Amino acid sequence: MKIHEHQARDLLASYGLPVPPAEVITDAKDAAAAYERASKEAGTKLVVVKAQVHAGGRGKAGFVKLVNSAAEATEAATFMLSNRMVSNQTGPEGLEVKKLLIAAGVDIAHEYYLAITTDRDTRRNVLIASAEGGVEIEKVAEENPAAILKQPIHPLMGLQPHQARKMAFDLGLKGKQVGQAIKIMTALAKLFVDKDCSLAEINPLVLTPATDEHPQGQLLAIDAKFNFDDNGLVRQKDLQALDDKAEANPAEVRAEEHGLSYIPLDGNIGCLVNGAGLAMATMDTIKHHGGEPANFLDVGGSASEEAVTEAFSIILSDAKVKGILVNIFGGIMDCNTIAQGVVNAATNFKNDDGTTGFKVPLVVRLEGNNVDAGQATLEAASANLPTLQAASDLNDGAKKVVEAVG
Ligand code: GDP
Ligand code: MN
């Protein structure tokens, strides 16, 4: 599960991390008043207007704007709420922006990157930091990986103070900044574990310029991103309340409601499979034959007519899909029942244009209990369903669907 930046900032603040004050608006008419409040609170004319969407790369896309007056704030808010945001993390169709954050702007002397995530190679959580934080962090990671510093976190002992101190020194921090950085890293490590995070990222963590009050500057978190492990959500009641369904892919929300596990991908062959292992094997076999899967969809143990109908309409809501491969193993359910269900679902399928019946090529591979009767049902049905082809095995099914989509 992902959350918005404004929620992430609240979460950081609740763990004692320093975050500049901000508020959320949904209407550009409220931007001027929000500007005045943020500007007054921070004692500066500088305020930032930031799109609240579940994707990063906003700065480069023009959806993080520094403004110096109420009029500029209104202009930026109007632009963001009436244009889709296309960034390197959204895909070409972009995202609709429904909420904005109006935050007190801060002067920046330096931008750092700070994150915790799970490193699957070492099977540990890892603290990651860089003195080259900011909007180019992906480029830094690619071109100068030595600038990305890491400290593995012991699963029982957690992040040790000496590790945080070493990290602070390696980032080039000095004097009072070191103590501030250690506090921030320690709190982030605690939050990461407490909340079942899979990613907790602050980018940028900024150092403000020296002032009389803060001769060595201040470290502040001005952007944050969290991903939470969905398997932990059941015990994270307060996080459940932060889930903004309006931001999620509607097809994914629908699949979740129906107990289907669905992950959209970039290809054009829809996959409807029972069992995650079989789904992986199906995607591999499609790729082996030169095709590209459009999704991963696991209908789970039951491949009922109802589940198949729902799965078809979720898969076909993706306009990229040019053909579907159904690959089902009949263990508990009989293949003939499954074949009948697939045929009915395809025959009765309601298209967007009001017509009934499948239009895209449909290849069905069944295996298991009573498979001969299932195959016979498919063969018989293909007379009325011209797009239907039965496959003799997975290899044959993958080959047929790749050929059918061209
Ligand atoms: P992202 O592009 O989606 O990661 O959005 P960020 O919140 O990280 O903002 C992108 C960039 O805008 C930051 O790296 C900063 O350089 C700049 N920025 C954001 N907030 C402020 C601010 O309060 N003051 C200044 N001077 N720059 C800011
Ligand atoms: Mn950022």
Side-chain angles (χ1 to χ4, degrees):
M1 188 188 98
K2 294 179 181 171
I3 58 174
H4 286 295
E5 179 200 357
H6 70 91
Q7 298 166 321
R9 291 167 80 114
D10 290 347
L11 196 53
L12 290 180
S14 73
Y15 273 74
L17 280 97
V19 183
E23 67 177 284
V24 174
I25 63 166
T26 55
D27 190 329
K29 284 203 284 293
D30 300 327
Y35 170 88
E36 298 299 351
R37 281 189 290 270
S39 155
K40 195 170 156 205
E41 188 150 1
T44 119
K45 286 178 81 168
L46 187 68
V47 166
V48 255
V49 181
K50 312 178 82 176
Q52 299 296 285
V53 284
H54 284 183
R58 298 167 303 168
K60 286 177 135 180
F63 282 72
V64 171
K65 285 236 170 79
L66 297 174
V67 296
N68 284 291
S69 70
E72 280 177 31
T74 306
E75 189 188 336
T78 308
F79 170 81
M80 290 183 200
L81 290 170
S82 52
N83 286 281
R84 292 177 81 83
M85 183 190 102
V86 179
S87 84
N88 59 355
Q89 297 185 16
T90 62
E93 68 285 1
L95 292 173
E96 184 188 347
V97 180
K98 303 183 193 93
K99 288 185 204 166
L100 303 175
L101 187 79
I102 310 284
V106 297
D107 290 330
I108 299 177
H110 196 89
E111 300 193 17
Y112 298 90
Y113 176 92
L114 183 66
I116 300 178
T117 188
T118 303
D119 176 10
R120 291 182 191 279
D121 289 340
T122 57
R123 287 180 253 156
R124 291 188 178 201
N125 296 332
V126 60
L127 177 73
I128 304 173
S130 179
E132 298 183 30
V135 296
E136 299 291 356
I137 191 67
E138 282 91 0
K139 209 165 135 202
V140 173
E142 206 169 291
E143 292 173 6
N144 185 15
I148 310 286
L149 311 172
K150 295 181 181 173
Q151 283 287 339
I153 300 176
H154 190 279
L156 297 178
M157 295 199 292
L159 182 71
Q160 297 292 293
H162 70 85
Q163 292 183 293
R165 191 175 314 118
K166 174 158 188 343
M167 189 63 105
F169 283 129
D170 289 349
L171 288 173
L173 296 171
K174 298 196 169 63
K176 286 217 164 87
Q177 300 160 2
V178 173
Q180 285 179 46
I182 293 172
K183 259 180 84 179
I184 290 171
M185 292 178 207
T186 308
L188 193 66
K190 177 163 170 37
L191 194 170
F192 184 91
V193 173
D194 285 357
K195 301 293 179 188
D196 293 316
C197 297
S198 54
L199 173 72
E201 178 187 88
I202 302 174
N203 186 34
L205 175 71
V206 302
L207 180 66
T208 60
T211 59
D212 290 346
E213 196 189 344
H214 300 286
Q216 292 187 309
Q218 263 186 303
L219 285 172
L220 298 173
I222 66 167
D223 184 25
K225 184 165 156 188
F226 286 96
N227 287 346
F228 302 100
D229 182 346
D230 290 345
N231 296 307
L233 280 179
V234 65
R235 64 178 182 186
Q236 300 287 357
K237 298 276 185 277
D238 51 341
L239 293 181
Q240 289 170 19
L242 302 182
D243 193 11
D244 184 353
K245 295 271 188 222
E247 289 295 317
N249 175 331
E252 282 177 69
V253 174
R254 222 169 111 197
E256 196 187 312
E257 282 166 9
H258 288 85
L260 309 172
S261 123
Y262 170 77
I263 295 156
L265 302 167
D266 293 329
N268 60 1
I269 299 175
C271 306
L272 190 163
V273 188
N274 69 337
L278 192 58
M280 301 293 266
T282 305
M283 299 199 305
D284 282 351
T285 315
I286 287 173
K287 280 204 166 246
H288 178 71
H289 287 288
E292 286 292 333
N295 69 278
F296 169 103
L297 190 148
D298 173 11
V299 294
S302 131
S304 66
E305 184 174 326
E306 200 192 349
V308 171
T309 303
E310 192 56 42
F312 276 156
S313 72
I314 289 169
I315 293 174
L316 288 172
S317 69
D318 176 354
K320 294 194 302 293
V321 172
K322 298 287 176 270
I324 295 184
L325 175 59
V326 173
N327 185 16
I328 291 180
F329 179 78
I332 298 164
M333 266 178 108
D334 165 326
C335 284
N336 196 25
T337 313
I338 296 168
Q340 203 56 61
V342 170
V343 168
N344 290 348
T347 312
N348 301 327
F349 187 79
K350 296 217 172 18
N351 297 296
D352 283 344
D353 61 7
T355 58
T356 310
F358 244 56
K359 289 186 174 164
V360 300
L362 173 64
V363 178
V364 183
R365 180 260 176 160
L366 298 175
E367 188 54 85
N369 177 11
N370 204 14
V371 67
D372 293 340
Q375 287 284 8
T377 299
L378 293 176
E379 296 293 348
S382 58
N384 296 325
L385 262 175
T387 70
L388 175 69
Q389 295 183 70
S392 54
D393 58 27
L394 174 52
N395 211 26
D396 180 47
K399 232 192 308 214
K400 280 186 169 141
V401 78
V402 170
E403 272 164 24
V405 301

